[in-house]
């Protein structure tokens, strides 16, 4: 039998063993983590809605009205009216004909690629796409090529060379480690020219970009039956789950064929009820997006003269490129000692030589919070540069 305990020891000895930190509070800018109070810049709760009491209240209300569990898959008897209502609202929110709920973005991506890419399809994927999209391509056993990050010229060459009867281009709309936005307008143009389907994973753009947070399609004013859109509901929306929005026949095919949709229990109805409240708040409280933009300007201005480089980003993901792995870790440790939580991201998650702090802003942060972060960064800069923190 496989000696799993020994393998774990090896992982540990190489410093590669992952550990889950324990939160004793709701998600938000101030968390109690591993027993210590911290100012956190490390969640995907971009709009600050995960801990919003109005959504928590809607969750309770939903549970009282609909019970705790759906009790069956959507195709058996688990598809409750509250799911149907949420799907209608999601479609309207992103301006697509129809939407379909999934339990997670991971499952939604598996469903999209395994169902929509046939054996005669060739898939073209951005090199920095999310792991779930890569896994989806592997599970589909489809032919695929990855193109250099956001390089539409390279993609164009690949599309021109392809002899496949069907083509599909897959991209994150906002990249999770760089915070940059894919050139969806150019990609869409290429898809039109080469008759390809365009799959857009908007996990980090839904609620943030576009009119009233409608997402990246709204941001680029794209609307077409060749687009398949995936948005997640556990990041800016602050709850859990995901949805695919697309033309009616695409959604209908997913209902008929997508195994990650068919062979799993429908999401708890209370979640759907809470998400309807969350969508209302996302649309109404546009001050959250304005405040995020203000915080990101404040961060850029304060870090302008730093020895390291804040990547230009119009999203709440603000990567601070340090370069050396050890320096990134020392910087993250120095911040932690000052009571501030910002994760260091190292290769292989990001390219060699681009170790970074992934600063993630939330509408629930105050300007005071960001000031505390930038002051701590400036203070740590000298110490890390002089090698004191690594001593
Ligand atoms: C988080 C994320 C997912 C997965 O969504 P979950 O709902 O967390 O499973 C998919 N794609 C991208 C780009 C993500 O960041």
């Amino acid at each position: 039998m496989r000696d799993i305990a020994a393998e774990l020891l090896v992982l540990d000895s190489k410093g590669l063993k992952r550990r889950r930190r324990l939160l004793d509070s709701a998600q938000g800018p101030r968390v109690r983590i591993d027993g210590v109070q911290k100012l956190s810049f490390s969640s995907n709760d971009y709009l600050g809605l995960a801990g919003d009491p109005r959504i928590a209240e809607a969750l309770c209300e939903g549970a009282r009205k609909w019970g705790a569990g759906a009790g069956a898959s959507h195709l058996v008897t688990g598809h409750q009216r509250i799911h149907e209502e949420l799907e209608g609202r999601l479609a309207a929110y992103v301006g697509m004909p129809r939407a379909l709920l999934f339990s997670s973005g991971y499952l939604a991506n598996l469903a999209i690629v395994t169902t929509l890419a046939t054996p005669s399809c060739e898939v073209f994927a951005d090199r920095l796409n999310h792991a779930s999209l890569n896994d989806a391509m592997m599970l589909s056993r489809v032919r695929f090529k990855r193109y250099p990050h956001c390089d539409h010229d390279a993609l164009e060459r690949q599309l021109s060379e392809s002899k496949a009867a069907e083509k599909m281009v897959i991209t994150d709309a906002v990249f999770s480690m760089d915070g940059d936005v894919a050139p969806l307008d150019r990609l869409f143009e290429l898809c039109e020219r080469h008759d390809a389907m365009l799959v857009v994973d908007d996990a980090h753009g839904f609620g943030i970009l576009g009119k009233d947070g409608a997402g990246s399609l709204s941001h680029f004013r794209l609307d077409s039956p060749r687009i398949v859109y995936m948005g997640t509901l556990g990041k800016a929306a602050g709850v859990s789950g995901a949805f695919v929005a697309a033309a009616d026949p695409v959604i209908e095919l997913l209902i008929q064929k997508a195994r990650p949709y068919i062979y799993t229990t429908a999401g708890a109805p209370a979640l759907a009820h809470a998400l309807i409240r969350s969508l209302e708040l996302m649309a109404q409280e546009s001050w959250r997006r304005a405040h995020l933009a203000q915080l990101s300007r404040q961060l850029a201005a304060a870090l302008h003269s730093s020895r390291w480089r804040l990547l230009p980003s119009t999203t709440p993901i603000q990567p601070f490129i340090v370069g050396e792995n050890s320096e990134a870790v020392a910087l993250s440790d120095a911040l932690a000692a000052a009571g501030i939580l910002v994760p260091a991201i190292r290769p292989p998650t990001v390219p060699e030589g681009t170790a970074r702090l992934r600063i993630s802003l939330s509408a629930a942060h105050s300007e005071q919070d960001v000031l505390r972060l930038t002051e701590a960064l400036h203070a740590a800069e000298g110490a890390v540069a002089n090698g004191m923190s690594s001593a």
Side-chain angles (χ1 to χ4, degrees):
M1 199 178 93
R2 182 175 170 187
D3 192 349
I4 294 172
E7 287 179 38
L8 288 172
L9 279 176
V10 171
L11 211 57
D12 204 9
S13 69
K14 289 183 180 162
L16 293 175
K17 190 151 166 225
R18 308 283 300 261
R19 204 178 56 81
R20 299 174 302 170
R21 296 191 233 229
L22 205 53
L23 261 77
D24 278 310
S25 59
Q27 187 61 268
R30 266 155 287 273
V31 291
R32 193 173 169 77
I33 187 160
D34 288 341
V36 184
Q37 194 75 24
K38 288 264 164 70
L39 172 61
S40 164
F41 291 89
S42 61
S43 81
N44 302 316
D45 177 27
Y46 304 127
L47 292 179
L49 292 175
D52 192 294
R54 294 167 296 178
I55 299 176
E57 182 48 39
L59 190 60
C60 299
E61 198 180 276
R64 281 192 292 270
K65 188 159 177 194
W66 296 97
S73 66
H74 282 280
L75 286 188
V76 179
T77 55
H79 188 60
Q80 292 168 288
R81 184 165 295 281
I82 194 72
H83 295 123
E84 181 83 9
E85 186 181 339
L86 175 58
E87 287 178 342
R89 290 191 187 219
L90 287 166
Y93 199 93
V94 298
M96 297 287 267
R98 201 172 165 193
L100 187 68
L101 276 175
F102 283 84
S103 300
S104 76
Y106 190 96
L107 287 175
N109 279 341
L110 292 190
I112 290 170
V113 186
T114 57
T115 310
L116 302 180
T118 66
S120 50
C121 183
E122 186 167 11
V123 174
F124 303 86
D126 190 290
R127 198 172 279 288
L128 296 190
N129 275 351
H130 190 258
S132 57
L133 289 169
N134 296 335
D135 291 1
M137 296 192 298
M138 305 295 272
L139 185 62
S140 309
R141 297 194 208 91
V142 73
R143 274 176 299 162
F144 67 88
K145 284 205 173 84
R146 295 168 84 195
Y147 57 88
H149 180 50
C150 288
D151 187 340
H152 40 81
D153 292 330
L155 172 61
E156 163 123 66
R157 281 191 295 279
Q158 290 184 356
L159 285 167
S160 302
E161 284 163 12
S162 171
K163 298 201 168 39
E166 292 166 23
K167 303 182 184 83
M168 177 186 281
V169 172
I170 305 185
T171 186
D172 283 19
V174 176
F175 290 85
S176 53
M177 293 303 147
D178 292 76
D180 57 336
V181 179
L184 291 182
D185 46 354
R186 312 283 289 270
L187 299 181
F188 178 71
E189 226 174 80
L190 289 178
C191 287
E192 287 266 273
R193 206 170 323 140
H194 294 272
D195 192 24
M197 183 180 272
L198 177 61
V199 175
V200 176
D201 176 338
D202 205 20
H204 302 280
F206 178 65
I208 302 299
L209 299 177
K211 185 175 181 309
D212 296 331
S216 59
L217 298 185
S218 159
H219 176 80
F220 284 100
R221 298 173 203 280
L222 290 174
D223 177 10
S224 161
R226 73 169 68 252
I227 298 177
V228 176
Y229 177 91
M230 197 288 290
T232 63
L233 302 169
K235 289 172 178 155
V239 185
S240 172
F243 66 101
V244 177
D248 179 74
V250 172
I251 297 298
E252 195 54 43
L253 186 73
L254 289 172
I255 295 173
Q256 301 305 318
K257 304 274 187 189
R259 299 172 68 89
Y261 183 75
I262 297 171
Y263 297 104
T264 192
T265 300
L271 291 174
H273 191 88
L275 277 160
I276 287 176
R277 187 74 185 111
S278 170
L279 290 188
E280 286 169 0
L281 297 175
M282 280 166 68
Q284 286 162 8
E285 300 186 342
S286 53
W287 65 264
R288 292 176 186 273
R289 283 173 290 277
H291 182 58
L292 271 172
Q294 170 59 30
L295 294 179
S296 118
R297 280 191 296 274
Q298 182 192 344
L299 190 68
L303 297 181
H304 182 70
S305 59
S306 164
R307 130 175 225 270
W308 297 299
R309 194 166 64 96
L310 188 74
L311 288 186
S313 161
T314 54
T315 69
I317 303 169
Q318 301 279 326
F320 191 50
I321 307 295
V322 175
E324 283 296 317
N325 293 356
S326 57
E327 283 197 359
V329 172
L331 194 54
S332 176
D333 287 349
L335 290 177
I340 302 175
L341 193 65
V342 185
I345 312 282
R346 287 167 287 175
T349 307
V350 293
E352 215 48 67
T354 70
R356 65 196 66 187
L357 296 187
R358 183 184 186 267
I359 300 169
S360 116
L361 296 172
S362 159
H365 284 125
S366 65
E367 291 181 23
Q368 215 48 43
D369 292 335
V370 172
L371 183 65
R372 221 182 115 193
L373 170 66
T374 55
E375 285 181 350
L377 276 171
H378 285 307
E381 191 175 309
V384 171
N386 295 331
M388 281 162 63
S389 299
S390 52

